[in-house]
């Protein structure tokens, strides 16, 4: 599987203004060598095209759809309603309401039509979730995910080691306080 092959993951968004957030999804898919396509598919401004995109996605060989939108963010849910593919929703934060509007629009789906919603602005995790979905039936990709997670662990351990060293230095530089009630304070 290479990022130059036939796209397996669609990264779509309601507007090109979502791209600064959504690019993290295509970036991480590239890191894992998973081919993806990126496009603007607006649920409100081009509804017929959006429905057609969702209806033809599986037939074009796509396996996962990542859909990001902001505000009244109906794109992920509407795509999920016209495809059998797993859909991952990315709430894009806009100028007002800090993305809470996007989050609630995407996450509160009615029973029967699931959208796997990531955190506000969580496009990188959306890409990683898409990799995990594909890795469930791709041993080589699962191996790469395991290596990635091992690197995360090493990095977190190194942070702990650095923090412990910092605390040791701070404490070594502090004057010890005399115990209270010992009379030393008189
Ligand atoms: C939503 O409207 C898009 O997903 C975007 O987050 C938001 C604003 O779009 P623009 O006005 O910037 O094109 O549908």
């Amino acid at each position: 599987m290479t990022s130059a092959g036939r796209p397996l993951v669609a990264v779509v968004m309601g507007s090109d203004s979502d791209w600064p957030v959504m690019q993290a999804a295509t970036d991480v898919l590239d890191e894992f060598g998973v081919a993806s396509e990126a496009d603007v598919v607006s649920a409100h401004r081009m509804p017929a095209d959006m429905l057609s995109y969702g209806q033809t996605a599986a037939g074009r060989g796509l396996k996962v759809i990542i859909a990001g939108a902001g505000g009244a963010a109906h794109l992920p849910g509407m795509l999920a309603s016209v495809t059998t593919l797993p859909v991952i929703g990315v709430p894009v934060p806009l100028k007002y309401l800090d993305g809470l509007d996007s989050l609630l629009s995407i996450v509160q789906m009615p029973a029967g039509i699931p959208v796997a919603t990531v955190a506000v602005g969580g496009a990188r995790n959306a890409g990683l979730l898409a990799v995990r979905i594909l890795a469930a039936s791709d041993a080589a990709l699962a191996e790469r995910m395991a290596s990635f997670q091992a690197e995360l662990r090493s990095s977190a351990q190194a942070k702990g080691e650095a923090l412990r060293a910092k605390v040791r230095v701070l404490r070594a530089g502090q004057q010890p306080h005399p115990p209270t009630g010992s009379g030393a304070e008189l």
Side-chain angles (χ1 to χ4, degrees):
M1 188 187 294
T2 69
S3 45
R6 190 183 64 173
L8 295 177
V9 180
V11 179
V12 293
M13 57 217 80
S15 172
D16 60 350
S17 61
D18 299 321
W19 176 243
V21 169
M22 296 304 294
Q23 189 178 357
T26 58
D27 285 349
V28 77
L29 290 165
D30 287 348
E31 284 170 35
F32 277 84
V34 173
S36 67
E37 65 181 28
D39 211 343
V40 171
V41 184
S42 171
H44 299 121
R45 293 166 176 161
M46 43 191 282
D49 307 81
M50 179 270 298
L51 290 175
S52 169
Y53 189 95
Q55 284 160 343
T56 58
R60 291 196 297 111
L62 290 163
K63 302 296 182 197
V64 184
I65 296 176
I66 297 172
H74 297 132
L75 176 62
M78 287 306 298
L79 286 174
S81 73
V82 294
T83 183
T84 55
L85 295 177
V87 175
I88 304 169
V90 181
V92 174
L94 301 185
K95 190 174 167 190
Y96 301 108
L97 303 177
D98 295 329
L100 187 59
D101 47 350
S102 319
L103 172 66
L104 297 180
S105 299
I106 293 175
V107 78
Q108 293 288 38
M109 288 297 293
I113 309 293
V115 169
T117 309
V118 295
V120 174
R124 183 170 171 84
N125 263 2
L128 287 168
L129 182 54
V131 172
R132 285 181 180 224
I133 291 169
L134 296 172
S137 56
D138 182 330
L141 197 52
E143 193 60 42
R144 286 207 284 284
M145 180 54 76
S147 303
F148 171 81
Q149 290 178 246
E151 282 167 27
L152 285 181
R153 178 170 182 259
S154 300
S155 153
Q157 285 174 330
K159 287 177 186 176
E161 201 174 303
L163 183 64
R164 289 193 300 276
K166 192 173 167 180
V167 170
R168 273 198 301 274
V169 169
L170 276 173
R171 286 184 175 158
Q174 283 170 352
Q175 294 291 341
H177 294 290
T180 53
S182 66
E185 67 268 31
L186 295 175

